[in-house]
Amino acid sequence: MLIRHRGAQPTVDPTAYVAPNATLVGDVRVGPRARIMYGATLDAEGAHIEIGEACVIAENAVLRATAVADPPHPVILGDHVFVSPHATLLGCQVGRCAYLATGITVLQAARLEPGAVVAVGALVHARTVLPAEYFVPPMTVAVGDPVRVIGSDRPEELTAAVRDVNFAAAAFGVQAEWTDRIARYERITEVRVAEFGAHAADEML
């Protein structure tokens, strides 16, 4: 399904394949020989999404760009990137020949250099940079620049690292104290309510 959003519509190279129940919303640019499989959602919001040549976006993956923070966070995939089922990519950049395994998440302003691997169930946090061919083990959190990988067996270290990322500011442009979770998440939700409200004017193509 192709949807015009905020006056922009998806463009798909004639050699690419988009499954009939995949959804492309707004300024989504699908390159040659890319494969967007069943149930995938690519939502450009107020930014854009670029899919390089011969990328695979597997079943039920979600790619979402955003312009709510400054600067905007597009999703940009180099050539030959493999995005596995149920992966989530939010406002990030992924270099060529990266492999993103099932159930992974990459957050806003993260950058993965060519050949990086994010294994099953791992998280690459906001503003994190993975060097070329870097491997993030399963079920861990990669955070920072230079990157550190932290497992759930180190909860205090993980909490401190996530706090230092200032995710609310990186992803939503929201400045709020780490300890004031109710106010922070109220403001984050209001940002998304305003952003997603623009979908009321969407047009199916």
Side-chain angles (χ1 to χ4, degrees):
M1 180 186 309
L2 305 183
I3 298 176
R4 182 182 290 113
H5 176 65
R6 299 175 188 259
Q9 65 188 55
T11 56
V12 179
D13 187 274
T15 64
Y17 171 74
V18 177
N21 69 339
T23 304
L24 279 56
V25 183
D27 188 1
V28 177
R29 311 162 193 176
V30 179
R33 301 188 301 121
R35 306 292 184 246
I36 314 297
M37 299 308 293
Y38 300 93
T41 299
L42 285 67
D43 184 358
E45 291 301 333
H48 68 278
I49 295 175
E50 297 179 23
I51 306 300
E53 182 173 1
C55 286
V56 173
I57 312 299
E59 293 79 3
N60 300 305
V62 174
L63 284 65
R64 174 172 286 123
T66 183
V68 297
D70 185 21
H73 299 310
V75 174
I76 301 174
L77 273 56
D79 300 339
H80 295 89
V81 171
F82 196 105
V83 179
S84 298
H86 299 284
T88 301
L89 308 181
L90 305 177
C92 58
Q93 298 187 31
V94 181
R96 65 183 303 272
C97 300
Y99 184 86
L100 309 178
T102 298
I104 65 91
T105 301
V106 182
L107 296 180
Q108 288 88 347
R111 190 175 80 247
L112 283 59
E113 297 294 344
V117 175
V118 183
V120 172
L123 166 66
V124 179
H125 219 295
R127 298 179 173 144
T128 297
V129 177
L130 299 187
E133 301 187 43
Y134 192 90
F135 181 83
V136 180
M139 310 304 291
T140 60
V141 177
V143 59
D145 180 18
V147 64
R148 291 183 291 154
V149 174
I150 307 171
S152 60
D153 58 332
R154 293 145 57 194
E156 292 183 3
E157 183 181 352
L158 184 56
T159 298
V162 170
R163 180 194 62 224
D164 293 344
V165 166
N166 196 358
F167 173 69
F172 303 102
V174 168
Q175 296 291 343
E177 291 297 326
W178 168 259
T179 53
D180 194 353
R181 291 182 176 85
I182 290 175
R184 183 168 73 249
Y185 293 123
E186 179 182 47
R187 292 172 63 191
I188 285 172
T189 304
E190 288 292 343
V191 168
R192 277 288 196 244
V193 165
E195 181 180 34
F196 291 168
H199 286 288
D202 286 357
E203 302 172 61
M204 292 180 58
L205 301 174

